[in-house]
Amino acid sequence: MKTLLVPLQNIPMMTPTLDAAVRLAHRTGAYIEGFPLRFGIPQYLAAELATGILLDSYEVKSAAELNDMRVFFEAFMLKHDVPRSAGLGRPCFGWLETAPEGEDFVGSYGRAFDLIVMARSDIDAAGPHRRAIESALFESGRPVLLVPSNAPRSIATNIMIHWNGSTEQARANAFAMPLLRLAEKVSVLTVVGGQAVPGPSADQIVQQLRYNDIAAQARTVELEDRDTGEAVLDAVRAEGCDLLIKGAFTRARLRQMIFGGATSYIMEHADLPVLMAH
């Protein structure tokens, strides 16, 4: 994972998000590129702004916010020993000035990177932020690292895979292989009685990982009176993990939005970074 894309927003969670990106870059020697995530103006607001004075005021404010994000990003990188340019194999950063408005840009531009790093969603997250995450998951074809506000100080040293037999989880595992090879400990979790689909067993995944020189261990927990996502996060905390690998939206996205699901629960409640892929 040598290229990391970080969409910047003026939100408090950007600090832990950038911290996770920097920690990962120092482990892998990655290039980090930031850009300002600018949500499109709703049509009704655009009509009001078109009166002239309001539009000028909006553009001035927008330009100031973009400059603030760039300054914040560059200062954070330099403070954490990530230079603007470096030789191959060393972390460095860049800034994209020409990013267009709209959350869809995350999904299209993210195809040129190994990993997209974003602040985790939660139950209070604004709609545009959720749509930006969904664009990354569904349109980029790349994995997404979602970072909470209270992330551990380490990342990808003790990794848990939530194995549910699905295509999405197999794809997430494949994307995560560079990090799995760096980890000191890897666990493959099965939630007995939880949401799953017909597929290989966790023991088969452990065997595959061991053939790839990853000393993985199988773990099993009972669902009991919990949701699957809650059981997964309880297991992650019990193992002291600093990264969870999770296939995103094995069940249909609309069904998860209406009835809930492990992906939605973990996206809203995880207190560690989660690498997701669809």
Side-chain angles (χ1 to χ4, degrees):
M1 293 192 174
K2 295 291 188 179
T3 56
L4 313 180
L5 179 65
V6 185
L8 268 288
Q9 301 178 65
N10 276 326
I11 57 175
M13 287 181 67
M14 282 317 308
T15 297
T17 301
L18 288 177
D19 187 64
V22 165
R23 288 178 183 278
L24 198 55
H26 277 298
R27 296 198 68 194
T28 65
Y31 165 71
I32 305 173
E33 183 165 304
F35 78 90
L37 180 55
R38 300 185 293 161
F39 302 123
I41 307 173
Q43 289 186 350
Y44 71 88
L45 182 57
E48 291 184 5
L49 291 174
T51 55
I53 297 176
L54 288 176
L55 181 59
D56 291 342
S57 176
Y58 172 82
E59 290 177 344
V60 169
K61 181 180 178 182
S62 178
E65 289 180 347
L66 294 182
N67 184 66
D68 288 345
M69 283 190 275
R70 179 185 59 79
V71 170
F72 171 70
F73 174 78
E74 293 179 350
F76 193 98
M77 293 295 116
L78 295 174
K79 179 181 178 181
H80 292 83
D81 299 319
V82 179
R84 184 176 294 277
S85 60
L88 292 177
R90 296 182 57 196
C92 58
F93 78 88
W95 178 257
L96 179 67
E97 291 279 3
T98 58
E101 286 187 350
E103 51 269 24
D104 291 346
F105 181 70
V106 180
S108 60
Y109 191 60
R111 297 166 195 161
F113 291 82
D114 297 322
L115 181 67
I116 303 170
V117 184
M118 302 183 70
R120 193 203 75 187
S121 180
D122 58 36
I123 56 177
D124 297 320
H129 181 59
R130 288 174 176 264
R131 290 195 296 273
I133 292 175
E134 291 185 359
S135 176
L137 282 172
F138 288 95
E139 302 300 333
S140 71
R142 311 305 298 169
V144 180
L145 184 70
L146 299 178
V147 182
S149 59
N150 52 342
R153 300 303 297 170
S154 61
I155 185 168
T157 63
N158 183 356
I159 302 176
M160 181 168 285
I161 295 169
H162 171 219
W163 181 251
N164 62 2
S166 69
T167 303
E168 292 80 8
Q169 187 60 53
R171 187 174 293 118
N173 291 3
F175 280 131
M177 288 299 283
L179 299 182
L180 292 169
R181 290 193 174 97
L182 290 175
E184 299 167 8
K185 180 179 178 182
V186 175
S187 306
V188 181
L189 175 71
T190 300
V191 180
V192 178
Q195 296 171 6
V197 299
S201 67
D203 287 338
Q204 289 173 293
I205 301 306
V206 167
Q207 183 182 46
Q208 176 220 359
L209 293 173
R210 288 179 177 175
Y211 275 123
N212 281 275
D213 299 321
I214 298 167
Q217 301 291 328
R219 296 285 184 269
T220 301
V221 297
E222 298 287 339
L223 184 63
E224 299 176 339
D225 295 325
R226 300 171 292 183
D227 294 330
T228 300
E230 185 179 3
V232 171
L233 293 183
D234 286 346
V236 162
R237 296 185 191 103
E239 294 286 338
C241 298
D242 55 13
L243 181 66
L244 172 64
I245 310 298
K246 179 78 180 78
F249 296 106
T250 297
R251 304 167 79 194
R253 176 170 35 161
L254 179 59
R255 181 177 176 82
Q256 288 226 30
M257 290 171 61
I258 297 173
F259 299 106
T263 301
S264 297
Y265 186 92
I266 289 170
M267 286 178 67
E268 295 174 355
H269 297 90
D271 50 9
L272 81 166
V274 181
L275 187 148
M276 286 188 165
H278 179 71

